Structures are given as C-alpha cells and as structure tokens.
Amino acid sequence: MNVDAFLAWTATVPGRHELVDGEVFAMAPERARHARVKFAVQAALDRGVRALSSPCEMLPDGMTVRIDAHTAYEPDALVYCGPRMDPDAVEPPPPVIVVEVLSPGTRSVDAGAKLAGYFLLPSVVHYLLIDPRRPCVIHHRRTGTAIETRIVTEGSMALDPPGMALAVADLFGER
C-alpha cells in the first residue's frame, strides 16, 4: 500500500495506524504514564512556539508524517514553521521538530527505523525521544551532514531552529 491509499483507508477505519514499507500497523493503546508525558511535551512545545515571533505551530499526535511513498508515521508531537495548514489536512507541512514518547513495545522502532526515517526529511532538525519512566530526553539534532545525539536529564535544551528552549522538567509535567 502507498501513503495515499493508506490515508484514504485510515479515514474509514477506527483507531490509529502507521504505514511501514507498505504494511499497516495498528498502534497499541497508551498507558497513563505515556499519555501524561505526551501531553506535558505537547504543552511545553506549544508554549515555546507561542513565544516565538515566527509562524510556527505545534501539532499533537494524529498528524501523519510522510517519510516516503510507502512509509508514514504518526509522531506524538511535531512543530512546523510556515503558513497555517488547512484545517482539514491530515498531513502537516514539513516538520522541523518531531517527538516520540517511548513505549515498551515501540522503543527499538522509535530509536531505529523512525530515527532514520524522520531524518530522511530535509526539514527535520530535531528528533526528541522522551523516556516517560524518568526525566531523560535523547535529543538527535541535524548539524549539516551529521546527526548529533545527546542525552539531557536536567536544565534546558535549545531547539534552533525554530529558536526556542525547553526545560526538561516541563516535558514531564507532574511526576
């Protein structure tokens, strides 16, 4: 199946799905810990975006990011910069920040195939993997032709572009 057929299909079925190399995968239900951290991340990104003077927007899960003709992921949050998207769209403009909150069943996929896939998109500068069990962010950042990785457990992270900083504590909400 290609991404266009996948998007047409997902409009007719309940639940959340991703497409990987033409194969559809249902997304498992979330645990409360995952949902709480995901919401805290979305809220922190939204506050950061609103403080910018540039036209960027945070979008929560539910948006489909097309990696190639046969692969599309649904990150837990993303930020894109540019004109506001059509309210009926299911695919965002090219994201600059992509976030996945790690789950026991998808941890290796998020750190492997998705890491490689998201960075196939020239727009992606930051890919954040959030560990919901402890305050730990794995920050992958595009720097020219390389991807730098750092582990952040306290303080704040500069996400430039788009030009904002996120406090690690804010990404985890109340613990």
Side-chain angles (χ1 to χ4, degrees), residues 37 40 130-132 134-137 168-175:
V37 169
I130 312 292
D131 187 336
R134 57 194 171 105
C136 179
V137 179
V168 172
D170 290 346
L171 302 177
F172 294 90
E174 291 185 31
R175 298 208 44 93

Side-chain angles (χ1 to χ4, degrees), residues 18 21 132:
E18 292 185 320
D21 294 328

Side-chain angles (χ1 to χ4, degrees), residues 36-69:
R36 287 182 186 120
V37 169
K38 181 171 69 172
F39 179 78
V41 168
Q42 293 167 352
L45 284 170
D46 192 54
R47 284 189 304 273
V49 163
R50 289 176 187 277
L52 297 174
S53 59
S54 62
C56 298
E57 183 177 10
M58 184 287 300
L59 293 171
D61 61 334
M63 295 285 99
T64 300
V65 176
R66 185 185 302 246
I67 303 302
D68 60 33

Side-chain angles (χ1 to χ4, degrees), residues 82-170:
R84 195 158 181 88
M85 63 187 280
D86 181 317
D88 292 322
V90 294
E91 282 186 83
V96 67
I97 301 171
V98 179
V99 180
E100 293 284 359
V101 176
L102 298 172
S103 298
T106 63
R107 183 177 294 267
S108 63
V109 173
D110 292 342
K114 286 187 178 182
L115 168 64
Y118 285 129
F119 279 111
L120 289 174
L121 305 176
S123 65
V124 173
V125 177
H126 306 280
Y127 178 45
L128 306 178
L129 293 172
I130 312 292
D131 187 336
R133 296 190 174 277
R134 57 194 171 105
C136 179
V137 179
I138 302 169
H139 178 195
H140 301 282
R141 180 176 183 266
R142 185 187 310 267
T143 58
T145 60
I147 305 299
E148 291 180 349
T149 301
R150 65 188 186 121
I151 298 171
V152 185
T153 58
E154 60 187 21
S156 64
M157 298 179 301
L159 300 177
D160 192 28
M164 66 174 151
L166 294 179
V168 172
D170 290 346

